[in-house]
Amino acid sequence: SQQGEEDPQALSIQEGENATMNCSYKTSINNLQWYRQNSGRGLVHLILIRSNEREKHSGRLRVTLDTSKKSSSLLITASRAADTASYFCATDRGGSRLTFGEGTQLTVNP
Amino acid sequence: DGGITQSPKYLFRKEGQNVTLSCEQNLNHDAMYWYRQDPGQGLRLIYYSQIVNDFQKGDIAEGYSVSREKKESFPLTVTSAQKNPTAFYLCASSIGGKETQYFGPGTRLLVL
């Protein structure tokens, strides 16, 4: 099975609400990343959090990492219709390789 | 503009045919990667290259081949041995030793 698994698989919210997505992984990591993919497009890097960090912010994004639970969460505050996309977590495997989860499909309704 | 380009955007393959997907980057990145994405799923690593003239198999290399003759280019050939090639193919690159990957726009491969 994949190293990273996102939860929920799909999330539908109203514009202005917050969206929270979770990622669990199985083995120890050096870092965890979150990427965004608009439909039919390539992935865009959002944020990287290292194993010795607990929380990181970037604009409306907040990422937490709990290495004891092997889990991470991505919070998008004050969501916009333009945030509609799939969000993937990725964990490092060494040798610059990443393992991606299956993603959370976020729909933000105007 | 710096970035990664993939061509074509759509590619059609006939039974028994080999097809080649192009990936070019002008970011001066050492490492390049090919991923396959099936509908509603995450990315699976096909091949990766950390340096020119060297590449390694990923998790699903069977039925695919690559070359890395130039730093800027990492073409992927989908051979006739790949029995289920219909998917979205994504190329990425990264600075050597760095974790963040930069992705191209993808190529959608369809079988006629």
Side-chain angles (χ1 to χ4, degrees):
Chain A
S1 61
Q2 297 239 25
Q3 166 79 319
E5 295 182 3
E6 285 91 342
D7 168 56
Q9 287 188 322
L11 180 62
S12 182
I13 59 173
Q14 295 300 122
E15 212 165 22
E17 294 180 339
N18 294 343
T20 300
M21 289 158 269
N22 303 297
C23 170
S24 60
Y25 56 92
K26 293 182 171 63
T27 61
S28 62
I29 60 171
N30 294 316
N31 64 75
L32 184 144
Q33 302 179 56
W34 285 91
Y35 287 81
R36 165 195 169 125
Q37 182 182 35
N38 287 75
S39 182
R41 309 287 290 273
L43 276 68
V44 175
H45 178 258
L46 295 175
I47 198 165
L48 180 152
I49 187 166
R50 300 198 181 278
S51 59
N52 61 353
E53 297 176 308
R54 291 297 167 258
E55 186 171 314
K56 205 162 183 180
H57 296 254
S58 177
R60 292 184 296 112
L61 306 180
R62 173 179 165 244
V63 169
T64 61
L65 180 64
D66 187 335
T67 53
S68 66
K69 295 181 180 178
K70 292 187 170 57
S71 68
S72 173
S73 67
L74 170 67
L75 168 67
I76 304 174
T77 60
S79 62
R80 307 166 182 168
D83 294 328
T84 294
S86 292
Y87 292 82
F88 295 89
C89 67
T91 52
D92 69 297
R93 297 165 60 183
S96 73
R97 294 175 299 164
L98 298 176
T99 297
F100 288 85
E102 295 191 352
T104 292
Q105 171 61 53
L106 173 67
T107 302
V108 181
N109 301 298
Chain B
D1 287 336
I4 301 177
T5 57
Q6 290 186 242
S7 62
K9 187 172 182 179
Y10 295 95
L11 186 58
F12 298 91
R13 192 190 92 163
K14 295 180 181 178
E15 198 79 33
Q17 186 182 40
N18 291 354
V19 292
T20 298
L21 285 62
S22 169
C23 177
E24 303 278 332
Q25 54 98 359
N26 60 4
L27 300 168
N28 200 32
H29 286 174
D30 292 305
M32 296 186 75
Y33 315 81
W34 273 106
Y35 294 93
R36 170 180 171 140
Q37 186 178 32
D38 291 284
Q41 297 189 27
L43 280 65
R44 291 185 289 169
L45 183 64
I46 304 173
Y47 269 98
Y48 65 105
S49 167
Q50 293 181 299
I51 196 168
V52 175
N53 292 323
D54 188 41
F55 50 82
Q56 287 79 40
K57 293 181 179 180
D59 301 311
I60 55 165
E62 186 174 348
Y64 301 97
S65 66
V66 293
S67 63
R68 186 85 188 277
E69 297 176 0
K70 297 187 299 181
K71 188 175 186 177
E72 303 78 22
S73 179
F74 191 40
L76 173 74
T77 297
V78 184
T79 74
S80 57
Q82 173 51 246
K83 298 306 179 188
N84 183 24
T86 298
F88 190 51
Y89 290 86
L90 287 159
C91 178
S93 70
S94 67
I95 299 171
K98 299 295 184 184
E99 306 93 345
T100 300
Q101 294 186 10
Y102 298 83
F103 284 80
T107 292
R108 191 166 299 279
L109 177 60
L110 301 165
V111 177
L112 294 176

